[in-house]
Structure formats: C-alpha cells, structure tokens
Amino acid sequence: MVLDLPTPCVIVDADVLDRNLRAMATAAAGRGIALRPHAKTHKCVEIARRQVELGATGLTVATVSEAETFAAAGLDDLFIAYPVWPTRERAARLRDLASRVRLRIGVDSAESAEALARAVPGLEVLVEVDSGHHRSGVDPGAAGALADAAENSGLTVRGVFTFPGHAYGPERQRPAAEQESAALAAAAAGLGPGVRSGGSTPTAALTGTGVLTEMRPGVYVFGDAQQLELGTCEWADVALTVESTVVSRSGNQFILDAGSKVLGADRQAWATGFGRLVELPDARIVALSEHHATVALPEGMPLPRLGDVLRVVPNHVCTTVNLADELIVTAAGAEVDRWRVAARNANT
Amino acid sequence: MVLDLPTPCVIVDADVLDRNLRAMATAAAGRGIALRPHAKTHKCVEIARRQVELGATGLTVATVSEAETFAAAGLDDLFIAYPVWPTRERAARLRDLASRVRLRIGVDSAESAEALARAVPGLEVLVEVDSGHHRSGVDPGAAGALADAAENSGLTVRGVFTFPGHAYGPERQRPAAEQESAALAAAAAGLGPGVRSGGSTPTAALTGTGVLTEMRPGVYVFGDAQQLELGTCEWADVALTVESTVVSRSGNQFILDAGSKVLGADRQAWATGFGRLVELPDARIVALSEHHATVALPEGMPLPRLGDVLRVVPNHVCTTVNLADELIVTAAGAEVDRWRVAARNANT
C-alpha cells in the first residue's frame, strides 16, 4: 500500500490499529486488570475515545497540557503519571482541571505533596514508586510514610504506581514485570487497599494479575521497531509507518527522505538501527540525519530504484507522532481520514 | 535569567544570536567566501531576514517545503542542498518555486538529473560530491561526467557542493575540512568555473579559502551541546536554551521536566550525555525519557531544589527547534518577542 502523497508522511492503518486496541482491551478485561492507556503515544482524540469505548477506565497522560487537551475533548478521567511540580501558573491549571474532570496525579516526595496540597486542596494522588527503572519514584518501603505525609498535607491518596521502564531491553521483560509486581505489592502493604498501577507495552502480557489493579501501556496502539526487536509485537501489528522515497543510491546503500525530523532520533543501545523497513526487513538504517536515512542492504541484495516509496517503522513511535501535525488514516490501502495530533508539543 | 513561563520552554537570547550572526557574516566576508546559511537550524523568517541583511547571498534549505516557506516570506535566493527526487506533485512545486525565486537544487545521479530536467527544464543545479561523510553525493572524480549528463539532459549546472558531516566528532574538524576542500577542488576540475559550496558549523573556521566560493553553516546561529563538546562554540555563544523545572530528586540525581519531546533525542557516541546545563556545567544528562531528563551530579555536589528552573543546552539544536511551535525571544533577561517556527515539520 503506497499512497500518492508527498513523502515523508505518517500513515496509520486503521484496521491494524483497531485490532491492537481490541486485543489489549480484551486481554486486560480477561485478567481483571483495569486498562488506562497512556495517551502520550497517540495524542489523538479519536484514538482516546475509541480506547474508552472499548472499556478503558480513563487515560494516562504525561503532562498537565496533555490532560487539558483531552479534557477539552470530553475525556473525563485522567491520570497524570508524573511528579508534577505546582508552580503558580501550573497550580491554577490543576485546580481548573480538577473542577472539570476526575483528576489524579503522581507524587514522589513529601515536599511536592505539601506544595500540591497548598495548590489544590484534596487533590487525588498516587504515590510513585521505583521498581528498578531508577528515574522518579520512592523506594517501595518508603511509600507508606509518603502516603501518610501526603494525607496529612491534605491530599487524597488513591494508591501507588510505577513505570517498569527497565523492561526496554532484550530479555528484560520478565524480570522487570516481576520487580514491578513486587514493588507495587510492597508499597501497597504500607497503604492499605487502593490502586496498584503499573504496566508498559513490553510488560503488558506479563503483568502480575495478583497484584496490579490497573495497567498503562501506550505503544501497543501502533507498535514500533523497538517492540519488534524486543519481540513484544509482530510485523503484522505495526499500525504506523512513515512512507519515504528513495532519493540516492551507492554501493549496497541507499538514502530515504525520512530523517530524524520525521522519525525521531531515538536509538537504544540494543537497537539494530534507527528503524526498520516493511518492504525490506533485512535492511538496517545505519545512520540518520535530519532528512536522510542511510539504509544498508545485505551483500548481493538488489537496491530499490530511485523514486521507490518504502515504509519505515520508526524505533519509538511516541516521538514520531509528536513530530507530526496529523496522521493520515488508511483502510485497505486508501486514505479514509486525517487525525490531528491534538496533543503534539503538549509538554508543559 | 529565568522567565516565569510554563516549563519546558525554548528561549532565545537575542543579543547572543545577533552576535553569532554578525561574527559568521564578518568571518565569511573577511575570507571572501559567500555565506549561504542553512535555514533548517532556525526555521524562522525573522532570523533568515537578518542573515540576508548582514550579507548572506541567500539561504540553504533541506526540503522543497522549507523553500516554499521562505519563498512565501520574500526570501528569493534558495538552494535546496538535497538530492530531490521529482515525483509528479513535487515537480509541480519545483516549477512554481523556480518561477518565483532564484532556485538551485542538488543532484547526485544521471537518472535524477534526467527526471529533474523533464520536470523543470533549465533548472539550476549543483552536483553533490561525497567528501567523506558517505551519505549522498558522487565521488569527486565522477562529478564532471555527471555535470555533462545533467547539461545534456537540459539542466543548468552551476557548480558543485558537499557536506563534510564527518566533521562531527572529536578532532575530526581539520581532516574533514581538508577533505572537503580536496573533494571540491577535484570535482570542480571536471566542470570549469562555478560555485564550490561546502561548509558546516564545525568546519566553518577551517574552510579552505583557496577552494570554496560559498559555505553553508547552520548551527552557528544558536550553538548547542554538540558544538560545545567539539570545541566549536563557547558557553557564551549559546543563544538557545530550554528552561526546565526540577521535579524529583534522589541520591546524586535529579529529574528535569525537559525530555526528548522538547530537546530531541540526538546523542552521538562521543557526546557526554543528552545535553548540558548552563547553571551546572559539571552535571551530565545520563538518561532522557519523553518528559524526564535524568541529571547526575558529581559526588558531593548539592542537588538543586524542587521547583528550581535550570537551562538545558540541547545536544542538537536543529531538532529542538523543529519540535517547537515558537521561540521565546529575550533580551537582557526579559521577553521581547515570539518567533514562529515557520518551517517546523516542513519535511516534504
């Protein structure tokens, strides 16, 4: 399927997308875990609505401005999975949001709990715990004391959450999922009943049913080259690609007109390149400039022709979507819609 | 200088910017080399106009849509330094552009020369040669034959160009600049008199005056952490920073609310991290998520406070600008203007 559009362009296969949305909804429901998908991946109102229609309890977002975008579109149950610091202007925005939707945010220190309580008295929060990713979050053993401090400050503590980001690596999914469960169980022991929220796309299938009450995968809607190379999605699950034109050829290499300004420059140490190609799964993107992807082919494989259009699967689809103003939606190879990336650049 | 704005936000110091613009204009003029700055770095009409006001012969751009953006703003001498493949729709856009501005584009194969000549008869082109970056471009020894083929196809060949992108690495500037000069000299020998265009910010100060007639640096307008670490700009030359808030702290690490969705994820193998901090030059950004920069401090150095605002110098400023809708322009610590990133997402 190749559309006659200026390249590079970001294309979504609506049928694959809907299959992905249904599969995760069914899997979560079957295991009795609430699904609260992370909307930072797609940033599109149309997809958020479909997720809720299929049973999601609400959305996860990363920033106050993402929450504002989805609240304005009628999504009314939002969790900002981030240790938001309430500056004066951000405090006013949080108060406004909390008056309009069911809002929860993350907290990982007594100091920020106090600041949040002054800013938005009674605000619902989840205590963030570190399950091994070592980014934000407190040690699980400290969650109870932080929850007490937050309650004493005037917040309403609804439970605990973690992000097992260390699952992004070969063979790391199972140990990370186990650490996630253990961390949430240990943290929850200090709090009593409540939300125990975890989950990521790489761990979604492994998430412990005995512990988690909620999971927050994001990337599963589209899939990407990272998930392909981790083995946590199949080629047939990839719903978003970047159509690109061959513009130069030399030796066993050729150049596509998709670079870091459309794909994003993410490349984990274990990735085989800067993305993958649907039509040439054995090719590797060995270098990425702003407007050039340098693609190397195995010895002896014929080069594509100048002007050929190929589909690139980006390494990390969340950053690809954030570069686009709109997604071109297709079904059976034909354009059927365009979706605005409503929360693009919603970083504040 | 810290503004009371929602973070993260992209700030330009107008005084530093103007000093950078003047310094490069003066240096080029003093060496008798025409300056055709690459506008993909700033993507702003205001900066493009100032570059021309200070003596630039025109602009370099990377894509047809960037050319369209600047042409619409009255910039009338544009070189698309890219091996553009003329699909039907792109051919129509090139014809339209060529009718309105002085347009030149890159060519690196006889096949694309033929296609371009069919699309835009008489179009002015520069033959791209590879000076060691091994991306696009022909061997210098093949430039003469390609120029002949292009002329025979019906194009107007104005000279040769190269991009010494292999200068991006420690101690690589001088050898890359020497290869650039040698490649352009060898290529030009097959063509006769004409444009010999090269240049990049890392090689700008080393560009051979005997060979180059034109240079195309981009990043010099703002500087960035890559240039700092290559030694090709000083801290005082950094004109663009991303103001970010400390949101979490633990051990000798803290988290800023600027991630890859505002900074870009570029990280060359030789970079010391994912960007640098103006207020803490000894700190390193050891990990970068979409909305978290994980900053490590040297042992014993006190952590900043929650809510502190720090300025991040991104690794690669071209991709930072392409993520922003506008740049907040300051002078003497106060906001004086906002410039639209007019060519943001102009990838086609």
Side-chain angles (χ1 to χ4, degrees), chain B residues 7 38 57 62 74 78 89-90 106 108 122 128 147 151 166 191 205 299:
Chain B
T7 60
H38 209 313
T57 54
L78 302 171
E89 72 85 28
R90 196 174 274 121
D108 81 343
E128 182 173 6
E151 287 277 358
H166 55 312
L191 270 78
E299 199 71 35

Side-chain angles (χ1 to χ4, degrees), chain A residues 121-147:
Chain A
L123 182 66
E124 295 188 23
V125 297
L126 270 66
V127 170
E128 183 174 5
V129 298
D130 177 13
S131 54
H133 187 37
H134 304 323
R135 191 174 65 179
S136 45
V138 296
D139 286 335
L146 175 53

Side-chain angles (χ1 to χ4, degrees), chain B residues 160-164 180 184 196-200 212 214-217:
Chain B
V160 295
F161 79 107
T162 192
F163 172 60
E180 172 190 46
L184 288 175
R196 298 181 295 278
S197 176
S200 68
L212 275 75
E214 173 183 288
M215 63 179 181
R216 310 185 312 277

Side-chain angles (χ1 to χ4, degrees), chain A residues 216-232:
Chain A
R216 311 186 311 278
V219 173
Y220 76 96
V221 299
F222 296 133
D224 59 21
Q226 287 185 168
Q227 303 296 332
L228 278 175
E229 297 196 344
L230 291 175
T232 48

Side-chain angles (χ1 to χ4, degrees), chain A residues 181-198:
Chain A
S181 288
L184 288 175
L191 271 78
V195 176
R196 296 181 295 277
S197 176

Side-chain angles (χ1 to χ4, degrees), chain B residues 263 267 272-277 283-288 293-296 312:
Chain B
L263 297 173
R267 186 185 175 178
T272 67
F274 289 94
R276 296 290 290 270
L277 273 66
R284 291 295 182 273
I285 300 177
V286 295
L288 196 69
T294 303
V295 185
V312 179

